[in-house]
Amino acid sequence: MSLIFRLLASVYTAGAAYNEAALKILRLLGRNFSITSDILGEFTNDPARIDAVIGEYLEHIAVLGYWQRRFSASREVSLAVKPSRIGLEHS
């Protein structure tokens, strides 16, 4: 793997679990990077699963808001929302 590829890939938030990704987000913010977080997942149309996913997004928004305030407004902290995760299909 090339050095350039490794350097570029190292700034992306990645983790198999939420805590792993959260630690990387905190490291990036601590190094003066802005971040965009994306909770990965697949399309669902199951109402119970949609409610659970919306709950995940709401909890994550609260955490991201805290980090935005903690690390000042000079760093952008954002969330990419996948409409297909909350039952919205592209037609």
Side-chain angles (χ1 to χ4, degrees):
M1 192 180 317
S2 77
L3 176 61
I4 292 173
F5 179 79
R6 283 196 307 265
L7 289 172
L8 290 173
S10 70
V11 298
Y12 288 97
T13 302
Y18 184 84
N19 289 341
E20 186 179 344
L23 288 173
K24 189 152 188 190
I25 289 172
L26 287 172
R27 281 195 300 263
L28 290 169
L29 290 169
R31 293 177 56 207
N32 295 321
F33 285 95
S34 292
I35 63 100
T36 298
S37 182
D38 185 357
I39 303 171
L40 298 178
E42 299 300 324
F43 171 78
T44 185
N45 59 5
D46 173 44
R49 183 65 193 133
I50 291 169
D51 286 344
V53 169
I54 290 171
E56 289 175 33
Y57 276 121
L58 292 174
E59 289 175 17
H60 196 51
I61 287 167
V63 170
L64 293 176
Y66 169 77
W67 288 339
Q68 178 73 61
R69 291 185 301 279
R70 179 178 170 196
F71 288 97
S72 84
S74 65
R75 291 182 212 74
E76 185 174 317
V77 177
S78 60
L79 175 64
V81 177
K82 290 179 69 177
S84 63
R85 289 210 62 218
I86 55 174
L88 302 174
E89 272 187 279
H90 177 65
S91 50

